[in-house]
Amino acid sequence: MFAEIIAIGTELTSGAKLDTNSQWLSLQLAELGIPVLFHTTVADDLQANIDALKIAAERVDFIFVTGGLGPTLDDLTRHAVAGLLNVDLVEDAASMEHLEGFFVSRGREMPERNRIQAMFPAGSTPLVNPVGTAPGIWAECPRQGAKPCMVAAMPGVPSEMHKMFQEQVKPRLPGGDVLIRRARINCFGIGESATEEILGDLTARGNDPEVGITAHEATITLRINAQGSNEAECLAKIEGARKIIRAKLSEFVFGEEDEELEDVIIRDLVKQGKTFATVEHATAGLLAQWIAHVPDATDCYRGGNVSVSSFGSSEISLKAQAEDFRKAVDADYVIAIGGEAVRTNESGRLISEIPVVLIGDDVRLQELLTWTGNPAITKSRTAKCALNLLRQELMKK
């Protein structure tokens, strides 16, 4: 059993909006053992919509459509599904009653145009939308020599689509023969190619579990995908891969799933009963912003000193400023990021140098970070390096 997700809307094909529905649906379907083979995005054009549905019906067993169920002239999904099935649109009395009740409950008169939302392809089943005016559609598309292709059309509004999928669509889906479960392990302080070299065959294509490597602003994420006939089998495979990864990458591993460096550092500081503060020049408060979003930050963060001046561009002056600020706020540690010095090397390439120091009762660490890559991510990479200095120190305790 395979699926295709079709996202409808000119706002998606034009780039005005990002399609997050397809990503969410793919994850939900994977947990049911229904792999998604195709993501298709189509503009608000009736014939293009019909063509996309017909192509999908020939190559997959399930089609999940999002968008195009509103009352305006560019909402064409119901017409496209009718075109796929070669049937007319007919009014559903229960859906019309629901629509009218929706507007009455809000003290508004229903516009005539909204009546189209109670029209469905003949033979299809309306899917109730309890939080909006756009009902969904459940239909079967007959196929010669094969089982019917199942079609589920849902609203494009994510909150409405999520609820309709969980309550109306998911119960109608059969469980697949193979389940898929995922996990993520996050690392810092090592490059993508070095990670692959250390892990060796674990990252080879075709493995089960499959381990993929992605890099984002110096953070390496290992994505583990495991298949199995049941959840326990999948989780056992993931745990096996997790143990190998942690054993081989050791101190480079800092967290899992959505954990960031600041989450792990604050957790460890709270556990050890320690506090910290930050001094920032080149990163202009980025560290403080990240830290402020961690729920337990108030238990250990003493505050930040932010300046966009070039003061602190030397390691000596930066260490002195960090020492002074640590005393002022009575913190156990201070992470300090100095000003950025930019020079040009012999080949004309820009080189960025930023000093970073970590000050504590028994620690005086300093590094001069040198960046030659994309300047747009220099601040983020520098802030992560500063956090990693503290993380490594806390690991020794």
Side-chain angles (χ1 to χ4, degrees):
M1 296 187 299
F2 296 104
E4 179 165 347
I5 298 172
I6 301 178
I8 295 178
T10 301
E11 71 277 10
L12 301 177
T13 57
S14 68
K17 287 189 177 181
L18 183 66
D19 171 28
T20 59
N21 285 338
S22 295
Q23 178 194 27
W24 186 87
L25 277 172
S26 289
L27 294 173
Q28 301 302 310
L29 293 168
E31 292 189 358
L32 297 175
I34 303 176
V36 176
L37 293 186
F38 304 96
H39 281 187
T40 300
T41 308
V42 192
D44 295 314
D45 178 275
L46 181 56
Q47 191 57 53
N49 285 192
I50 295 173
D51 291 344
L53 286 168
K54 286 183 176 180
I55 292 171
E58 292 176 356
R59 61 188 184 184
V60 296
D61 307 292
F62 300 95
I63 304 173
F64 299 90
V65 183
T66 62
L69 290 174
T72 59
L73 293 174
D74 60 350
D75 290 309
L76 303 169
T77 297
R78 59 182 56 81
H79 299 85
V81 175
L84 168 69
L85 303 177
N86 195 28
V87 298
D88 295 328
L89 291 175
V90 295
E91 183 178 304
D92 178 71
S95 296
M96 181 61 72
E97 183 179 351
H98 175 79
L99 273 171
E100 292 172 341
F102 183 91
F103 283 93
V104 169
S105 67
R106 283 158 177 75
R108 296 162 51 196
E109 182 178 349
M110 186 179 78
E112 185 64 23
R113 183 61 197 171
N114 280 87
R115 298 184 68 88
I116 190 65
Q117 293 182 292
M119 303 292 288
F120 295 86
S124 67
T125 301
L127 300 177
V128 175
N129 183 348
V131 292
T133 65
I137 303 169
W138 178 264
E140 293 186 6
C141 178
R143 297 188 294 184
Q144 189 172 1
K147 293 181 179 180
C149 175
M150 311 308 297
V151 181
M154 296 169 285
V157 178
S159 59
E160 296 181 22
M161 186 273 287
H162 293 178
K163 190 172 183 64
M164 185 175 291
F165 177 82
Q166 296 289 1
E167 297 181 358
Q168 306 269 343
V169 176
K170 187 176 178 179
R172 289 176 161 87
L173 300 176
D177 295 329
V178 178
L179 297 182
I180 301 174
R181 293 293 181 267
R182 297 178 170 87
R184 287 174 289 160
I185 297 179
N186 303 315
C187 308
F188 190 83
I190 187 171
E192 193 171 2
S193 57
T195 301
E196 184 177 58
E197 184 176 350
I198 292 173
L199 294 179
D201 291 340
L202 189 66
T203 61
R205 286 183 176 272
N207 281 353
D208 181 22
E210 183 179 69
V211 178
I213 305 173
T214 58
H216 179 67
E217 298 181 4
T219 296
I220 298 296
T221 298
L222 302 169
R223 301 178 180 275
I224 308 171
N225 294 331
Q227 300 183 20
S229 58
N230 55 61
E231 180 137 355
E233 183 181 348
C234 292
L235 296 181
K237 291 179 180 180
I238 289 173
E239 183 57 29
R242 179 185 283 115
K243 287 180 179 179
I244 295 173
I245 290 169
R246 285 189 171 274
K248 289 192 172 187
L249 295 180
S250 186
E251 73 274 8
F252 296 116
V253 176
F254 70 81
E256 299 192 8
E257 301 306 328
D258 293 326
E259 285 184 318
E260 301 286 357
L261 281 164
E262 59 269 24
D263 298 310
V264 175
I265 286 170
I266 288 172
R267 181 193 65 203
D268 291 347
L269 284 167
V270 171
K271 184 184 297 184
Q272 295 180 23
K274 300 293 185 179
T275 59
F276 80 123
T278 56
V279 172
E280 300 181 72
H281 292 276
T283 49
L286 183 61
L287 265 181
Q289 181 182 4
W290 287 353
I291 292 165
H293 287 90
V294 180
D296 294 333
T298 54
D299 294 337
C300 62
Y301 186 50
R302 290 284 190 256
N305 186 340
V306 179
S307 171
V308 293
S309 71
S310 61
F311 177 81
S313 57
S314 73
E315 293 174 10
I316 296 175
S317 60
L318 183 62
K319 288 174 69 176
Q321 188 185 17
E323 291 276 16
D324 290 343
F325 192 61
R326 187 169 82 97
K327 293 176 182 176
V329 297
D330 190 27
D332 293 301
Y333 298 98
V334 166
I335 306 170
I337 298 173
E340 181 179 20
V342 180
R343 58 181 175 84
T344 304
N345 64 10
E346 59 277 4
S347 63
R349 192 172 187 179
L350 292 178
I351 307 296
S352 171
E353 294 181 340
I354 303 174
V356 174
V357 303
L358 172 65
I359 302 295
D361 286 335
D362 55 354
V363 59
R364 299 289 187 279
L365 299 178
Q366 61 184 47
E367 288 188 10
L368 183 63
L369 305 178
T370 302
W371 304 119
T372 58
N374 183 359
I377 62 173
T378 295
K379 287 183 174 62
S380 176
R381 294 168 71 185
T382 300
K384 289 180 181 180
C385 285
L387 286 170
N388 198 51
L389 268 183
L390 180 54
R391 181 182 75 89
Q392 291 174 324
E393 183 63 26
L394 294 174
M395 288 172 61
K396 301 174 185 177
K397 305 300 181 181

